[in-house]
Amino acid sequence: MTSTTSAPRLEKITPVNFEAATGIRVRPEQEFAVSPVMQSLAEAYVHPAGVAWPRLIVDGDRPVGFLMAFFDIDWRGDGGTLRRSGLWRLNIAAGEQGRGYGRFAVECVAAEIRRRGGSRLYVTWHPGANGPEDFYLGLGFRPNGETSEGETVGVLELDD
């Protein structure tokens, strides 16, 4: 059923919506750029509580995407003071892309980072064709000159 009057919302991943979440698939040519939802949920499970924030994006009764944010992580993994929060994964279902769900997801993560006292939202992306670079740049992210595991690091200043 397609809902035309509902607004998208985020739901915690639960036993009730687990299959819907793990059924989210991006377009085949995008698979190189984002891990499957199942891998994201496994990664969320092995990190300390509060670090990973996995959510199903739902519109009406349709699952349309998945996001996973990260909060206050040790960015370099060296026990240092460089701590960051941001968008770890974003999977918008192949048939739901171009409808504003990705923008909605980024806005939700930004709101949660602000709520927790943060002022910057970080994301990484694979550069090149079929990657999400244009999407992130269009939302105002700017490369900060770093790379992480071969991906471009971008930052969005969360000025109120």
Side-chain angles (χ1 to χ4, degrees):
M1 176 173 136
T2 300
S3 175
T4 57
T5 59
S6 66
R9 67 186 184 283
L10 298 183
E11 293 183 357
K12 290 182 180 181
I13 307 301
T14 67
V16 173
N17 64 18
F18 175 80
E19 285 188 40
T22 58
I24 299 291
R25 301 282 186 276
V26 297
R27 294 193 318 248
E29 68 271 18
Q30 298 169 327
E31 290 175 351
F32 78 96
V34 66
S35 297
V37 173
M38 186 68 81
Q39 180 177 337
S40 296
L41 292 174
E43 286 178 292
Y45 178 79
V46 300
H47 284 279
V51 169
W53 197 65
R55 295 292 187 268
L56 182 63
I57 306 166
V58 178
D59 191 355
D61 59 356
R62 292 179 341 210
V64 298
F66 170 85
L67 72 80
M68 189 161 74
F70 61 90
F71 299 112
D72 197 36
I73 64 163
D74 175 0
W75 184 257
R76 292 191 181 112
D78 61 3
T81 59
L82 182 57
R83 310 211 53 97
R84 292 182 176 169
S85 298
L87 182 60
W88 192 348
R89 298 275 163 64
L90 180 58
N91 305 58
I92 302 298
E96 302 291 350
Q97 294 181 16
R99 298 181 182 177
Y101 299 122
R103 175 181 292 275
F104 169 78
V106 171
E107 289 169 354
C108 288
V109 172
E112 185 65 18
I113 289 171
R114 282 188 193 102
R115 189 185 74 73
R116 294 171 182 237
S119 61
R120 291 182 184 92
L121 190 165
Y122 288 86
V123 70
T124 62
W125 64 78
H126 286 276
N130 297 314
E133 182 172 51
D134 289 341
F135 168 75
Y136 289 122
L137 294 176
L139 292 178
F141 284 90
R142 295 294 166 246
N144 70 353
E146 298 176 29
T147 59
S148 176
E149 298 179 4
E151 297 183 8
T152 301
V153 177
V155 63
L156 179 65
E157 298 293 332
L158 303 179
D159 300 326
D160 289 325

